[in-house]
Amino acid sequence: MTKVEAAEAVVLAKSDKKLTWEQIAAEVGMSPVWTTSACLGQNSMPKEVADKLCKFLNLGPEVSAALQAFPYKGSETVVPTDPLIYRLYEIVQVYGPTLKELIHEKFGDGIMSAIDFTMHVEKVPDPKGDRVKLTMNGKFLPYKMW
Amino acid sequence: MTKVEAAEAVVLAKSDKKLTWEQIAAEVGMSPVWTTSACLGQNSMPKEVADKLCKFLNLGPEVSAALQAFPYKGSETVVPTDPLIYRLYEIVQVYGPTLKELIHEKFGDGIMSAIDFTMHVEKVPDPKGDRVKLTMNGKFLPYKMW
Amino acid sequence: MTKVEAAEAVVLAKSDKKLTWEQIAAEVGMSPVWTTSACLGQNSMPKEVADKLCKFLNLGPEVSAALQAFPYKGSETVVPTDPLIYRLYEIVQVYGPTLKELIHEKFGDGIMSAIDFTMHVEKVPDPKGDRVKLTMNGKFLPYKMW
Amino acid sequence: MTKVEAAEAVVLAKSDKKLTWEQIAAEVGMSPVWTTSACLGQNSMPKEVADKLCKFLNLGPEVSAALQAFPYKGSETVVPTDPLIYRLYEIVQVYGPTLKELIHEKFGDGIMSAIDFTMHVEKVPDPKGDRVKLTMNGKFLPYKMW
Amino acid sequence: MTKVEAAEAVVLAKSDKKLTWEQIAAEVGMSPVWTTSACLGQNSMPKEVADKLCKFLNLGPEVSAALQAFPYKGSETVVPTDPLIYRLYEIVQVYGPTLKELIHEKFGDGIMSAIDFTMHVEKVPDPKGDRVKLTMNGKFLPYKMW
Amino acid sequence: MTKVEAAEAVVLAKSDKKLTWEQIAAEVGMSPVWTTSACLGQNSMPKEVADKLCKFLNLGPEVSAALQAFPYKGSETVVPTDPLIYRLYEIVQVYGPTLKELIHEKFGDGIMSAIDFTMHVEKVPDPKGDRVKLTMNGKFLPYKMW
Amino acid sequence: MTKVEAAEAVVLAKSDKKLTWEQIAAEVGMSPVWTTSACLGQNSMPKEVADKLCKFLNLGPEVSAALQAFPYKGSETVVPTDPLIYRLYEIVQVYGPTLKELIHEKFGDGIMSAIDFTMHVEKVPDPKGDRVKLTMNGKFLPYKMW
Amino acid sequence: MTKVEAAEAVVLAKSDKKLTWEQIAAEVGMSPVWTTSACLGQNSMPKEVADKLCKFLNLGPEVSAALQAFPYKGSETVVPTDPLIYRLYEIVQVYGPTLKELIHEKFGDGIMSAIDFTMHVEKVPDPKGDRVKLTMNGKFLPYKMW
Amino acid sequence: MTKVEAAEAVVLAKSDKKLTWEQIAAEVGMSPVWTTSACLGQNSMPKEVADKLCKFLNLGPEVSAALQAFPYKGSETVVPTDPLIYRLYEIVQVYGPTLKELIHEKFGDGIMSAIDFTMHVEKVPDPKGDRVKLTMNGKFLPYKMW
Amino acid sequence: MTKVEAAEAVVLAKSDKKLTWEQIAAEVGMSPVWTTSACLGQNSMPKEVADKLCKFLNLGPEVSAALQAFPYKGSETVVPTDPLIYRLYEIVQVYGPTLKELIHEKFGDGIMSAIDFTMHVEKVPDPKGDRVKLTMNGKFLPYKMW
């Protein structure tokens, strides 16, 4: 079973049981972003997490095995067209050099890791319209000199 | 004077006076991310902010005028090659569909605005290596039906 | 059932019953543009609209469920080749900077939303050849400063 | 003098005289969209319009000649990155097939001309936030059979 | 039945009956170029033409229906690789600006329509090697001013 | 002197002397399409033609030499954006396979040469709107077998 | 049967019978390069050659018919990634302008035909490592003037 | 002095002295293809060859130094547009898999080197039109196993 | 059986038998990198190696035959998106010109062969975090002069 | 002074003084790869290293300042065309999935850092032709779960 088929099985079970990603994440004891990304095939689950998830969703061991496999990450669309995802791309386009300036100013030459990295999504109620809050947290990695 | 020339003038003055973006931002009373992006030519400054900034940096009125102009935003590089900026692109590639799932789950169909939007960068000290924390906050815009 | 399969089912039913998009839109009480785009899988329908549409077209609940799902929007063709759609792309190429100038002149720095957005198509009879009239109406979103 | 240089001369004169595109358009008796596009080098002006415009802006005959020249139209950026212009591209991506369906339904097989074409921009005041209204009007051209 | 399937059915029937495109075109009373393009799915046939063609080729009404449908035109290959088709692309690359100069010189600013357009292919016998003659005839459309 | 500079010199002289491409072509005894393409740097002129042209336009021997040089042909824009030139590209996209079918039907396997090739542009008066007539004539080259 | 399926049938039969392309080519009386290219679907075979080949390989008339069909030539990969084929692409990149200079020097303005063209591959034994010798031979086509 | 400037100096001197590439190559004792490619900046010359060439063409030591520098090879155009060079690209597209088959058949798995490589251009007189003969000769490199 | 199917068969057998690539490589007496690449379809195995591997993994002769076939190498993704593979691409982007300088400095003009080439992966334990060590070893190939 | 100008100054001084990168690296006490990359503008030098280098090469403080600046890394060429650099790209194309398999096998899910990373180039004498040895050493970064 491929990771794509496993993702479809998870999404189907989630829909049948009328569960949310938040509920599934809480059940397996991990964050919603990480849990969702692993279910969609963009992260690999340790065996115990994958098994707990499959038990919760009544899915077989072949789904668990696929969720544990190490994924080929990323999408085939160089510039995303879905408006929600494009806005994130636009933020990189517009604010990339700004973030480069400020991270270098605070930390020196190096990067924010996208591997030793966590992310959370929150809903911030606002009378003028609720707001989406994304928090990214990555280890600063200084360029090595040798 | 173009926005590119104005950006060069600001960066030169900042360097000569040994200032940081944080200090410049504090002086004009705005956040570091917005101030830096406007100095780099990716946002437009209101006249009073641009004038205050130019006075602080001893720059002439033609720089202020250029900082007030409405920019053509974005970069010419479809896939960024600088490692710091590429990691942000990679996050969009890897976590785009995950964020789509979770934002839709919390808010329904719609997007996070990249226009009614703020962002902050923080340094989080950590004994295992300091961490970069990015906080993005955008208004949720539901798709209109008509 | 995917949104692509649902779209095929709707198009087939529409053809069998010799209906127009205008008639379907009128039946569900929405505009033709929005109704068509939702049937083609580029917008999501609220449950009551999807159910009404499926009842009208004698389609099952799995079609309704697919029509309610939140779509991945946009096309895979970066530059459209169909002449009708290309002309719209050409208008963006030729008049993009002009619209940028005029919207900024009237509203200041910001954009026309494509989310809080409506569109209508009309036929304008003309003895020298009938004309297509497209009306787009999007909320102006000023760039936030922070 | 190239059309690019002429455009810069017009923009500079407009800025020096603190004029708007609407005022310039009114002076030469044409619409704001067409006048702006011609000044930016995306349409050609008849001699009398170009001369009237240059007289109004105190620009020499070489500017008038450049404004009369027939332009190479379009931009070099296949996918626009400026958010205002990108939203128009996104509308083509999301609603292109919908407009194809509806135009064919109302008119038969053919296209909306982008040549025999007019466009207007209006500001629609709205207590929940002003709105941008774009009206496009193009001759329907049926595909010829032979 | 899709237009692709209809095209395959027509090509198969043509091959079985050992017919040429010229003979098929003559039978339905249209030109060879238009008839071939409609059979290949790049133009839509009026009902009477499609029915006559299907009767001639012993094809069912579902083929006729597909031939009447309005096509998505164009190819997915941005630069064609087949030598015969590439040579046409090369002519556009090499002679595009020349044709722009000469059409503007004869007609003023505007374009040759590819919609109100006919084309014919002829074989011109020549002792040094027969020649292909392509004749294109499109309505001149002047750019509208408004 | 490069071919680009020579082209600018010819275009300037043509404009100063209020000549048309047709008049220049007549003067040097060649067709308008070939003469224009050679002046724009997409074909090379024999010495006697280049000298005659330069004498007629009062241009020096360095222009003549540049017009005789063998050009790098073609444009840097893969998909043309100018509407007049794009329509020619669209014709290749829409009718490429049709022309392939018909040329093979009339001649067998091979191509129409774009080297042993001539082209003419004519204006065809028409009460419903004048028409552009393009005639292309290329030697048929059969694929060699060996 | 498509040309792709015919190619697979030929390759399978060749493998089953433990034949080489050279042997197949010798049997049908043509060169190895042309024969291989026709079997792979990049050239069309005359009926007698295709029938002889199919008889030799015990393949049916539908394979012969597919081998006679006129192919859409070329590959979908713009830059080849296979090292053997990439080296040929690299030679074009590195030596393209050199060949242009030398062919023009020897022949005047024109091209080497890729249609009236033959190619052979030889193995040249060499104590320091055997060498591949490719010989291409194409008719020189001078640019026509008109 | 860059290699581009050196190439311009060589081409200018060649033109002033009315020399051919063949004559220059003969003078320095190397083949025309290699000499031309090195003059155009796609190969590096040993000091003695570069000095001999510069003496012959009356060019200074800075030209010789630039001709000795190691080049960045290749062109920026992914698909060449000049017809002469495109035909070579087309040969790679059409015959790439054929050459792969035949080289593997004769040599086993490996490639033809484009580094340990020579090439010659010849003119083959032919009453039906002279022909261009290109001979490429590259060392076969078997894939190493380890 | 294609090489893709053979790769799937090998990966499945490896997983069923709970083997590592290192173990498989040791069994067939080759290095892990070469063995893995050949199993994944990017190198061809000699018959004895393929047979030994298939015997060890209980796979049939059709798998062995596919492993012996000469592959079309490389991936369809021009810029890799998987983070592990992208980092290798990034190293080429960032250090390509540096390696060019240093290899030319040590060896003169030429390249490192990717054909006569070996590679090894090692794990280097490190208290601050284990490290990946890649060793590449390719024959230096000097550019031939002729 | 930009990093590009600083690189040119360093290369010029290195050439004038007939130094090698190895000698410069030894002088500043860093490795040749890192030193060269920093001189070419792809890494930033600490002040003391930059000053030492500039003193050694008799370059002014503005060069030192530019060498200390934080670079925008990477090249504009998506697929490199220079043969030496292309071979590295080819290795990524051919061996990327193999390295992914083996690194995951040895370390689990994660990547080799290109930031906490060193690289060395060595010349390995070999009677059959000297060999280039590249050693890359990057910290393994496991994907974080949260």
Side-chain angles (χ1 to χ4, degrees), chain G residues 14 20-22 32-33 36-37 40 42-43 73-75 77-80 82-85 87-107 110-112 114-119 121-124 128-140 143, chain H residues 14 20-22 32-33 36-37 40 42-43 73-75 77-80 82-85 87-107 110-112 114-119 121-124 128-140 143:
Chain G
K14 164 180 175 288
T20 63
W21 292 114
E22 297 239 332
V33 170
T36 307
S37 72
L40 296 181
Q42 295 280 338
N43 268 313
K73 299 187 169 191
S75 132
T77 311
V78 175
V79 178
D82 182 73
L84 187 145
I85 302 177
R87 296 306 179 272
L88 300 168
Y89 176 78
E90 187 174 290
I91 291 167
V92 177
Q93 283 274 323
V94 173
Y95 292 101
T98 291
L99 293 173
K100 187 170 167 66
E101 285 286 328
L102 291 173
I103 292 173
H104 289 336
E105 179 168 304
K106 284 177 190 293
F107 295 86
I111 68 160
M112 178 183 79
I115 307 297
D116 186 337
F117 172 83
T118 64
M119 180 158 49
V121 186
E122 285 164 84
K123 183 175 187 168
V124 182
K128 283 179 288 180
D130 293 347
R131 301 184 71 84
V132 182
K133 183 173 167 193
L134 299 184
T135 314
M136 302 180 182
N137 184 306
K139 190 178 183 184
F140 177 74
Y143 284 114
Chain H
K14 165 178 175 289
T20 63
W21 292 113
E22 297 240 333
V33 169
T36 307
S37 72
L40 295 182
Q42 295 281 337
N43 268 313
K73 299 186 171 192
S75 131
T77 311
V78 175
V79 178
D82 181 73
L84 186 146
I85 303 178
R87 296 307 180 270
L88 301 168
Y89 176 79
E90 186 174 291
I91 290 167
V92 176
Q93 283 274 324
V94 173
Y95 293 100
T98 291
L99 294 173
K100 187 170 167 67
E101 285 287 326
L102 290 174
I103 292 173
H104 290 335
E105 180 168 303
K106 284 177 191 292
F107 295 87
I111 67 161
M112 179 183 79
I115 307 296
D116 187 338
F117 172 81
T118 64
M119 180 159 46
V121 186
E122 285 164 84
K123 182 175 187 168
V124 182
K128 280 179 290 181
D130 293 346
R131 299 183 72 84
V132 183
K133 183 174 167 193
L134 299 185
T135 315
M136 301 180 184
N137 183 307
K139 191 180 182 183
F140 177 74
Y143 283 114

Side-chain angles (χ1 to χ4, degrees), chain J residues 63-82:
Chain J
V63 176
S64 175
L67 291 171
Q68 298 169 45
F70 302 152
Y72 273 77
K73 299 187 171 192
S75 131
E76 287 167 34
T77 311
V78 174
V79 177
T81 62
D82 182 73

Side-chain angles (χ1 to χ4, degrees), chain A residues 11 14 19-23 32-34 36-38 40 42-43 73-80 82-85 87-107 110-124 128-141 143, chain B residues 11 14 19-23 32-34 36-38 40 42-43 73-80 82-85 87-107 110-124 128-141 143:
Chain A
V11 166
K14 165 180 174 287
L19 291 167
T20 63
W21 292 113
E22 298 239 333
Q23 289 169 323
V33 169
W34 182 85
T36 306
S37 72
L40 295 181
Q42 295 280 337
N43 268 314
K73 299 187 171 192
S75 132
E76 287 168 34
T77 311
V78 175
V79 178
D82 182 73
L84 186 145
I85 302 177
R87 295 309 179 271
L88 300 167
Y89 176 78
E90 186 174 291
I91 291 167
V92 176
Q93 283 273 325
V94 173
Y95 293 102
T98 291
L99 293 173
K100 187 169 167 66
E101 285 286 327
L102 290 174
I103 291 172
H104 288 336
E105 178 168 305
K106 283 176 192 293
F107 294 86
I111 68 159
M112 179 183 79
S113 180
I115 307 297
D116 186 339
F117 171 82
T118 63
M119 180 157 49
H120 294 89
V121 186
E122 286 165 83
K123 182 175 189 169
V124 182
K128 282 178 290 181
D130 293 346
R131 301 183 71 85
V132 182
K133 183 174 167 192
L134 300 185
T135 314
M136 301 179 182
N137 184 307
K139 191 179 182 184
F140 177 74
L141 305 179
Y143 283 113
Chain B
V11 167
K14 166 179 174 289
L19 293 167
T20 63
W21 293 113
E22 297 240 332
Q23 290 169 322
V33 169
W34 182 85
T36 306
S37 72
L40 296 181
Q42 294 281 337
N43 268 314
K73 299 187 170 191
S75 131
E76 287 167 34
T77 312
V78 174
V79 178
D82 181 73
L84 187 146
I85 302 177
R87 297 306 179 273
L88 300 168
Y89 176 78
E90 186 174 289
I91 291 167
V92 176
Q93 283 273 324
V94 173
Y95 292 102
T98 292
L99 293 173
K100 186 170 168 68
E101 285 287 328
L102 290 173
I103 291 172
H104 288 337
E105 179 168 303
K106 284 176 191 292
F107 294 87
I111 67 159
M112 178 183 79
S113 179
I115 307 296
D116 186 338
F117 172 82
T118 65
M119 180 158 47
H120 294 89
V121 186
E122 284 164 85
K123 182 176 189 167
V124 182
K128 281 179 289 181
D130 293 346
R131 299 183 73 83
V132 182
K133 183 174 167 193
L134 299 185
T135 314
M136 301 180 184
N137 184 306
K139 191 178 182 183
F140 177 74
L141 305 179
Y143 283 113

